[in-house]
Amino acid sequence: VQLVESGGGLVQAGGSLRLSCAASGFTFDDYGIGWFRQAPGKEREGVSCITNSDGSTYYGDSVKGRFTISNDYAKNTVYLQMNSLKPEDTAVYYCAASRIICTVGDETWYDYWGQGTQVTVSS
């Protein structure tokens, strides 16, 4: 099983980035894929998730209206489009896969994790 994030980088406040999470080694449609982030000195926070079986999506309160999660079944990839970025969005962003549930509230449901990609938003 492998989850590989990409697309992080440095962007000015108000800008946009699109993160990708390429999945392999499991049946993509059977899993929920979540995005989490961890800023220095802070606990990891749930950002968004998508249930691949039906496309249901969920967002954390801090990103609602600014971030959009989507998937591409042909590529076994989940995307996180991040718009109107703020300095407080700066963090390492991780994607994770859960066989049981799609949730941004409890990371213990997730079975597999990627290595993370750094997002830095300058003011």
Side-chain angles (χ1 to χ4, degrees):
V1 174
Q2 195 172 24
L3 296 169
V4 179
E5 302 97 334
S6 61
L10 173 64
V11 64
Q12 288 187 332
S16 298
L17 282 174
R18 189 178 78 158
L19 304 184
S20 300
C21 173
S24 61
F26 60 91
T27 304
F28 188 72
D29 291 9
D30 289 346
Y31 280 73
I33 303 294
W35 283 99
F36 293 79
R37 66 186 183 186
Q38 188 166 24
K42 295 187 177 181
E43 292 187 353
R44 193 152 55 189
E45 171 192 21
V47 174
S48 182
C49 67
I50 186 166
T51 303
N52 284 333
S53 60
D54 64 6
S56 299
T57 59
Y58 304 88
Y59 297 92
D61 290 340
S62 62
V63 305
K64 282 180 182 176
R66 300 188 298 123
F67 291 10
T68 303
I69 192 170
S70 62
N71 58 13
D72 184 332
Y73 294 104
K75 296 182 178 180
N76 280 9
T77 298
V78 171
Y79 302 100
L80 185 68
Q81 178 66 44
M82 306 186 296
N83 298 329
S84 302
L85 283 162
K86 305 175 182 180
E88 51 264 44
D89 294 317
T90 295
V92 177
Y93 283 71
Y94 301 89
C95 66
S98 170
R99 179 65 178 86
I100 303 299
I101 195 173
C102 171
T103 177
V104 296
D106 186 352
E107 66 175 57
T108 63
W109 287 104
Y110 288 83
D111 307 297
Y112 309 112
W113 290 81
Q115 81 289 349
T117 186
Q118 176 70 47
V119 171
T120 303
V121 184
S122 62
S123 57

